[in-house]
């Protein structure tokens, strides 16, 4: 008896994560020079809230310097004015520091990417002719620097050489090391004429030879764009971010007017506050916390995608991912593993299962396809009665391999003793059997029944037959191949449903097969026999209903749909057309990452909402600290609001200003990491925000300001 050697199953590898750097105190120190540079008013005016704080800090600085010469004319002690001044400048610095830390993580990644941009020599083909023989082309090359390559130049790259620029393979197939770009150590196969033809400059060819047509201009390569993106240079504010900035600016203007009117109004009650106190009041009234962290939140959202090896071409794309209503997912490679796998052996009546399993496995030993290997793997875990009992097989010496061809639609082995084994399309195998032995009607009917049942379940049937040395042929049974749905996807799609996101599977399969896979995967809908036009039409219909659409793709035929989608995620292994059409590129080429991208987008929006809630709630508590301290001497009734029982008016105001500054630093890690996201409805998210960040935003200042006041009261003069 021949023996089957069970192939080693593929080990699932965790997706590579481009190092983004977790937050740590060292980042504060390394980002300090950039934070100081951002104090330039020409930079600060883009953030109206913090610009007002900086103006206030500059004003109190002037007052503090002038105080000794004015002999108390400012109404505040020099100690109080200097303390307020110092903490106002620190508040401004902490805001720029938050943005600098967020940008610094991207710049560290960009520095790593720059190492891949080396000037190499390229073998440029002289007078390239697509119709000519590839070998003849290689003989007519000239050596040029990669920087001198132009759009549509054609180069020849052989094993061991770096690919000199972005392009598409027009001839050949090769194994390529892309670790410099993706971080993955495992090489990948790139070949001409398909959706895996795109190559990136700076990656290395490990085997064979390829002919590459350059598709990018100097300075506009994929790596150049990656560097610009991760540095944040191309980051534009998103619509929601702009709207929030307008809201913050409006609140700031309102409170500026209120504070300016407060001085004269309080003067009638002989309680006019000093300029320093008014500035402190203004800074504590306006939403400085979210104003300081808003830019960092947006940058960190893109950075979290980079850590997942996804490049977003703009912050708008990240934000759109958070608002997606419909996910379009390709079936093959996204919902299923991409290769059909043997799931069951079905012996015909009168055939022992063990004989079918042995014959099918032996016929598949030399089959290099994933389907063939899965037949061997399944057989290796089953014995004749279906119990787990791994057996070992090996190809007999002298056996002749019969490869699969489009004409025969079968493959198998011819054994040395003259026995012939075949597996393949049922009609082809049935015809092969009938070449030597008439097939009884009942056997043909049983075969047809199995084929029909497997087809209706969305699977693919393979018939198995044997012809012995006497020339007699026998049909043994059917192998059930199925598209295996990836583990855990049904649960993730259920999470999407709870978030109000509709999932649609897009496939070229027939409706029967598509329905079976969709049912098993748990998607909400499917589009079968989909053409590029069908995908585009579906996206437009959804968008006309006011929905935001996300989809993945890797081929040129996906480019129109990727361009039309609100979030178009192109695979790095895909064609240049696909990568140009999408607004995100997945360096790992993992289509299921679309679900992670939506989660990160949701996390960005939730983080911004949570910190906005905290910032506004934060201000409520500061009112209780400053207002009573300012006017309790004139209006004793305000003592009822002084529930913190702070030491003195000056210590209360300074404590509020100090808390206002240090809370920014405390929240920087949260802004960078993001609020933890749990799939739930908008109503439950709002409730959670109000309970945690609303109530928390009110309670934290009461505790923080009181503790700071206890320390401030120890300073002479307070």
């Amino acid at each position: 008896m021949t023996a089957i050697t069970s192939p080693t199953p593929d080990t699932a590898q965790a997706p590579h994560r481009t190092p983004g750097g977790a937050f740590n105190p060292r980042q504060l120190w390394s980002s300090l020079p950039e934070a100081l540079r951002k104090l330039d008013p020409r930079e600060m005016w883009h953030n109206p809230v913090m610009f007002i704080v900086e103006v206030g800090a500059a004003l109190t600085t002037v007052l503090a310097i002038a105080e000794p010469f004015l002999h108390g004319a400012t109404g505040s002690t020099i100690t109080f004015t200097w303390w307020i001044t110092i903490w106002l400048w620190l508040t401004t610095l902490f805001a720029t520091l938050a943005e600098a830390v967020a940008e610094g993580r991207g710049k560290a990644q960009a520095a790593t990417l720059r190492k891949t941009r080396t000037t190499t020599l390229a073998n440029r083909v002289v007078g390239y002719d697509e119709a000519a023989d590839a070998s003849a082309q290689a003989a007519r090359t000239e050596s040029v620097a990669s920087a001198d390559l132009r759009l549509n130049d054609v180069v020849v790259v052989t094993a061991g050489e770096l690919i000199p620029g972005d392009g598409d393979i027009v001839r050949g197939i090769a194994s390529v090391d892309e670790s410099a770009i993706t971080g993955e150590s495992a090489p990948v196969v790139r070949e001409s004429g398909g959706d895996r033809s795109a190559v990136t400059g700076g990656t290395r060819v490990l085997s064979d030879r390829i002919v590459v047509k350059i598709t990018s201009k100097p300075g506009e390569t994929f790596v150049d764009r990656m560097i610009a993106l991760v540095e944040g240079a191309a980051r534009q504010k998103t619509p929601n971010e702009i709207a929030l900035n307008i809201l913050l600016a409006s609140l700031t203007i309102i409170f500026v007017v209120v504070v300016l009117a407060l001085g004269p109004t309080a003067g009638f009650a002989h309680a006019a506050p000093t300029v320093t106190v008014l500035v402190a009041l203004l800074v504590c009234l306006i939403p400085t916390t979210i104003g300081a962290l808003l830019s960092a939140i947006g940058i960190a959202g893109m950075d979290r995608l980079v850590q997942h090896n996804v490049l977003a071409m703009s912050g708008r794309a990240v934000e759109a991912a958070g608002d997606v209503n419909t996910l379009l997912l390709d079936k093959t490679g996204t919902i299923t593993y991409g290769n059909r796998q043997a799931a069951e052996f079905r012996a015909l009546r009168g055939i022992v299962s063990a004989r079918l399993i042995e014959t099918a496995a032996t016929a598949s030993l030399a089959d290099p396809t994933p389907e063939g290997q899965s037949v061997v793997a399944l057989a290796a875990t089953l014995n004749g009665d279906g119990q787990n009992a791994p057996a070992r097989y090996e190809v007999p010496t002298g056996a002749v391999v019969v490869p699969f061809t489009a004409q025969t639609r079968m493959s198998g082995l011819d054994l040395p003793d003259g026995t012939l084994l075949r597996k393949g399309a049922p009609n082809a195998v049935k015809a092969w059997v009938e070449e030597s032995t008439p097939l009884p009607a009942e056997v043909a009917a049983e075969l047809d029944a199995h084929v029909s049942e497997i087809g209706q379940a969305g699977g693919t049937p393979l018939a198995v037959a044997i012809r012995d040395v006497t020339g007699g042929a026998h049909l043994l049974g059917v192998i059930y191949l199925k598209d295996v749905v990836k583990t855990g996807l049904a649960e993730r799609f259920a999470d999407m449903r709870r978030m109000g996101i509709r999932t649609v599977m897009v496939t070229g399969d027939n409706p029967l097969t598509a329905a079976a896979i969709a049912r098993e995967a748990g998607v909400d809908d499917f589009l079968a026999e989909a053409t590029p036009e069908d995908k585009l039409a579906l996206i437009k219909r959804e968008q006309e209903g006011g929905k935001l659409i996300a989809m993945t793709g890797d081929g040129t035929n996906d480019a129109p749909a990727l361009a039309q989608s609100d979030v178009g995620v192109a695979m790095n292994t895909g064609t240049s057309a696909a990568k140009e059409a999408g607004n995100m590129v997945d360096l790992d080429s993992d289509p299921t990452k679309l679900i992670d991208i939506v989660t990160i987008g949701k996390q960005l929006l939730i983080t911004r909402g949570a910190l906005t809630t905290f910032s506004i709630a934060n201000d409520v508590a500061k009112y209780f600290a400053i207002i009573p301290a300012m006017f309790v001497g004139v209006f004793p009734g305000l003592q009822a609001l002084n529930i913190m029982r702070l030491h003195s008016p000056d210590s209360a105001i300074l404590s509020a200003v100090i808390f206002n500054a240090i809370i920014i630093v405390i929240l920087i890690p949260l802004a960078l990491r993001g609020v933890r996201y749990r799939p739930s409805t908008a109503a439950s998210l709002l409730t959670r925000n109000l309970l945690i960040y609303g109530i928390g935003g009110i309670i934290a200042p009461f505790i923080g300001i009181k503790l700071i006041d206890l320390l401030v009261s120890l300073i002479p003069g307070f």
Side-chain angles (χ1 to χ4, degrees):
M1 176 176 175
T2 50
I4 298 177
T5 301
S6 177
T8 304
D10 293 336
T11 302
Q13 297 181 350
H16 171 76
R17 296 287 179 264
T18 302
F23 174 82
N24 61 70
R26 291 182 182 177
Q27 288 181 306
L28 294 177
W29 183 253
S30 62
S31 301
L32 190 56
E34 178 65 15
L36 292 171
R37 187 192 67 78
K38 287 179 175 291
L39 291 175
D40 185 339
R42 291 171 297 183
E43 293 251 357
M44 289 296 294
W45 78 269
H46 294 289
N47 187 337
V49 175
M50 299 316 301
F51 181 69
I52 291 296
V53 177
E54 185 175 43
V55 171
L59 179 58
T60 57
T61 301
V62 173
L63 293 175
I65 295 172
E67 184 73 31
F69 306 101
L70 299 177
H71 305 292
T74 62
S76 297
T77 66
I78 188 170
T79 302
F80 176 76
T81 304
W82 271 116
W83 274 105
I84 293 293
T85 298
I86 290 170
W87 281 100
L88 289 181
W89 279 117
L90 286 175
T91 303
T92 311
L93 178 63
F94 292 161
T96 60
L97 189 62
E99 186 172 357
V101 168
E103 290 178 351
R105 302 204 302 179
K107 289 179 179 178
Q109 175 70 7
T112 302
L113 289 170
R114 281 195 177 91
K115 295 177 182 178
T116 67
R117 293 195 312 181
T118 56
T119 299
T120 59
L121 291 178
N123 297 315
R124 182 168 61 187
V125 176
V126 179
Y128 178 74
D129 180 4
E130 294 184 5
D133 180 76
S135 300
Q137 296 287 337
R140 301 196 307 272
T141 61
E142 59 181 0
S143 184
V144 299
S146 58
D148 295 332
L149 291 175
R150 295 294 179 264
L151 190 65
N152 294 324
D153 277 353
V154 175
V155 297
V156 176
V157 191
T158 57
E161 295 180 346
L162 288 174
I163 296 173
D166 295 355
D168 290 330
I169 300 175
V170 293
R171 288 185 184 236
I173 180 172
S175 177
V176 179
D177 176 9
E178 295 185 341
S179 59
I181 304 299
T182 67
E184 289 288 358
S185 57
V188 294
V189 175
R190 295 286 178 263
E191 59 184 323
S192 62
D195 292 342
R196 305 180 71 85
S197 61
V199 290
T200 305
T203 57
R204 186 178 299 275
V205 173
L206 300 179
S207 68
D208 304 292
R209 182 181 65 178
I210 52 177
V211 179
V212 178
K213 176 178 284 189
I214 301 299
T215 58
S216 62
K217 298 177 182 178
E220 298 180 6
T221 65
F222 184 60
V223 172
D224 289 321
R225 286 190 292 145
M226 286 173 64
I227 292 171
L229 288 168
V230 298
E231 280 186 326
R235 196 186 85 86
Q236 301 295 320
K237 291 186 183 296
T238 63
N240 281 344
E241 196 172 352
I242 292 172
L244 187 54
N245 264 320
I246 293 172
L247 173 63
L248 297 181
S250 301
L251 289 174
T252 301
I253 293 171
I254 291 171
F255 285 122
V256 166
V257 173
V258 169
V259 170
L260 288 177
L262 190 60
T265 303
F268 289 106
H270 307 289
T274 66
V275 173
T276 302
V277 170
L278 287 175
V279 170
L281 174 63
L282 175 61
V283 170
C284 290
L285 285 175
I286 62 179
T288 50
T289 305
I290 186 61
L293 297 173
L294 187 58
S295 292
I297 294 169
I299 295 170
M302 293 182 67
D303 182 70
R304 278 193 291 277
L305 278 180
V306 171
Q307 292 181 46
H308 281 72
N309 260 11
V310 177
L311 292 177
M313 302 307 177
S314 69
R316 186 186 298 268
V318 186
E319 191 170 274
D323 283 330
V324 159
N325 305 107
T326 304
L327 287 181
L328 266 60
L329 302 112
D330 184 47
K331 186 205 75 173
T332 305
T334 304
I335 292 176
T336 67
Y337 283 103
N339 297 311
R340 296 168 301 172
Q341 298 182 15
E344 184 184 353
F345 295 107
R346 296 187 177 186
L348 297 180
R349 191 177 295 109
I351 303 297
V352 179
S353 294
R355 186 184 183 196
L356 168 63
I357 294 171
E358 178 185 345
T359 303
T362 306
S364 303
L365 287 175
D367 185 348
T369 65
E371 291 85 353
Q373 293 177 20
S374 74
V375 172
V376 178
L378 180 61
T381 59
L382 299 173
N383 62 14
D385 59 7
Q387 300 298 315
N388 289 338
R392 299 186 64 81
Y393 292 74
E394 57 186 21
V395 178
T397 303
V400 177
V401 176
V402 179
F404 177 89
T405 67
Q407 289 74 31
T408 64
R409 295 186 296 149
M410 295 184 300
S411 64
L413 282 180
D414 291 347
L415 301 180
D417 64 1
T419 302
L420 311 182
L421 312 178
R422 295 291 185 270
K423 76 172 195 317
N427 288 339
V429 173
K430 185 164 63 173
W432 180 79
V433 169
E434 291 178 331
E435 288 177 2
S436 59
T437 306
L439 195 63
E442 60 273 16
V443 174
E446 187 180 359
L447 174 66
D448 291 341
H450 282 301
V451 169
S452 177
E453 184 180 346
I454 292 172
Q456 289 178 0
T460 301
L462 293 180
V464 179
I466 184 171
R467 184 180 295 171
D468 56 32
V469 293
T470 64
H474 307 280
L475 197 59
L476 303 182
V478 178
I479 304 169
Y480 176 10
L481 295 181
K482 66 178 296 187
D483 281 318
V484 179
V485 175
K486 292 182 177 179
T487 306
L489 274 190
E491 291 78 7
R492 299 191 75 177
F493 290 147
D495 288 341
M496 296 288 112
R497 201 170 294 113
R498 283 193 291 273
M499 293 157 52
I501 297 175
R502 178 169 167 261
T503 52
V504 180
M505 182 185 78
V506 181
T507 177
D509 287 342
N510 63 71
L512 198 63
T513 300
I517 297 297
R519 186 166 52 250
E520 184 178 353
V523 295
D524 298 312
D525 201 355
F526 66 89
L527 178 65
E529 298 177 341
T531 64
E533 292 77 15
D534 293 333
K535 297 177 188 177
L536 193 59
L538 174 60
I539 293 171
K540 288 181 177 179
R541 282 198 306 272
E542 294 283 326
Q543 289 173 331
E544 286 170 0
K547 297 178 180 178
L548 295 183
I549 312 299
M551 77 160 287
T552 61
D554 58 3
T556 301
N557 63 334
D558 293 322
L562 286 170
Q564 182 68 33
S565 299
D566 300 282
V567 180
V569 185
M571 301 296 100
N572 190 39
T573 56
T575 62
S576 298
K579 289 193 283 187
E580 288 292 337
N583 51 21
M584 290 188 186
V585 176
D586 176 15
L587 300 181
D588 291 331
S589 299
D590 176 9
T592 60
K593 204 179 289 182
L594 182 59
I595 300 174
D596 296 322
I597 290 169
V598 171
T599 301
I600 291 171
K602 292 280 186 187
Q603 188 183 36
L604 169 66
L605 297 180
I606 291 170
T607 301
R608 187 183 296 157
L611 292 183
T612 301
T613 303
F614 183 90
S615 179
I616 294 173
N618 208 325
D619 293 335
V620 174
K622 288 182 284 188
Y623 302 157
F624 283 89
I626 291 185
I627 300 298
M630 288 176 58
F631 298 106
V632 72
V634 180
F635 303 106
L638 289 176
Q639 185 64 31
L641 297 178
N642 189 19
I643 59 179
M644 284 187 269
R645 296 295 186 264
L646 302 178
H647 180 262
S648 68
D650 282 358
S651 72
I653 293 169
L654 179 59
S655 298
V657 171
I658 292 174
F659 178 83
N660 198 60
I662 63 176
I663 195 65
I664 295 172
V665 176
I666 293 172
L667 291 175
I668 288 177
L670 181 61
L672 297 180
R673 185 180 64 252
V675 174
R676 184 178 178 185
Y677 172 67
R678 299 180 181 89
S680 55
T681 62
S684 61
L685 286 174
L686 178 60
T687 302
R688 177 169 171 258
N689 261 5
L690 292 176
L691 288 175
I692 297 177
Y693 297 97
I695 296 176
I698 294 175
I699 295 175
F702 278 95
I703 298 172
I705 291 173
K706 180 61 179 178
L707 293 175
I708 295 170
D709 180 71
L710 293 175
L711 296 175
V712 169
S713 64
L714 301 176
I715 301 174
F718 287 91

